[in-house]
Amino acid sequence: MESSILTTVILPASLFIIMIGMGLSLTLEDFRRVVRFPGAVTLGLFNQLILLPLIGFGLCYVFALSPFLAVGLLLLAACPGGATSNLISYVAKGDIALSVTLTAISSTVTIFTIPLIVRWGLAHFLGESRPIELPILATMGQIFGITALPVSIGMLVRSRNLAFAQRMERPMRIASTVIFVLILAGIVVANWQTLLDALPVLGPATFALNLITMGLGWGVARFFGLNLAQSITIAIESGIQNGTLAIVVASSILFLPEVSLPAAIYSIAMFLSGGVLMWWFGRREVK
């Protein structure tokens, strides 16, 4: 997939706006919820930050992915949650507070984990064929600039003008979804043949990542006795990745367009499975 102004400028700028919108819905209280229900939060974070990368790594070998595509799948697995998972949890009538808490915490932690996981992936899969150095501190700074910084701006706006933030929360959520869909459509159109060629290999791998992690998230949540709403959210947060962030990291930080292919194709799987969850659970009556 070729780098273009769409992936190197417009997509990062769009992600910045999306993350501001997320920040408008967050308060410090969201981070304090970890104290109130530490079991559900700990379980969700374990799935997102540890289980996901391990499954992603295993799938690279199961589907015999080429080195660049393997790094891309590992990068995708290292980018959990995001505004999309909050939206799906909301429509599917999951536990919104838990969803927001997991997104808030994981978005902060991944500033540190993404560079470490990707650097290890580059060394493991590309070390012999093409040594590529990933500057950890610089990458952390760039990820901070497109994730934590805009979220902090949104939270600051909310703390200074709550009425404005509440008015903008729904429009920004809708705008975030529309922006993501439009950007994804633009990337697909601009790289149609490349994506089509990669689909036979990456389609099964990305669908497997989505379905396995979502299924494990649901199963583990039910095994540990979480209620239905919490189980729905854990399943969504475990199986819905931040494909936008993965594409931005691959295209604008690594400057390896091929590494963004798994995230681009994965987005199709994510919307399909997310749509099913929203339809299936969203139609039920909540007492």
Side-chain angles (χ1 to χ4, degrees), residues 191-216:
N191 300 276
W192 176 251
Q193 191 56 51
T194 302
L195 291 170
L196 203 62
D197 293 340
L199 188 59
V201 174
L202 286 177
T206 53
F207 269 83
L209 178 67
N210 176 245
L211 296 178
I212 290 173
T213 53
M214 192 172 287
L216 281 176

Side-chain angles (χ1 to χ4, degrees), residues 223-264:
F223 177 79
F224 282 99
L226 300 188
N227 62 38
L228 179 59
Q230 289 175 326
S231 299
I232 292 170
T233 292
I234 293 293
I236 292 169
E237 293 293 337
S238 300
I240 299 297
Q241 312 309 105
N242 194 339
T244 310
L245 178 59
I247 294 173
V248 170
V249 171
S251 302
S252 304
I253 297 178
L254 294 176
F255 297 104
L256 296 172
E258 189 177 356
V259 172
S260 66
L261 279 171

Side-chain angles (χ1 to χ4, degrees), residues 178-191:
V178 171
I179 288 172
F180 177 76
V181 171
L182 290 177
I183 293 295
L184 177 62
I187 292 173
V188 169
V189 171
N191 300 276

Side-chain angles (χ1 to χ4, degrees), residues 5 59 68 111 136 140 142 190 209 218-220 233 248 268 270:
I5 190 171
L59 290 176
F68 283 104
I111 294 172
I136 294 292
M140 286 180 178
Q142 289 172 300
L209 178 67
W218 172 265
V220 170
T233 292
V248 170
I268 301 171
M270 178 184 72

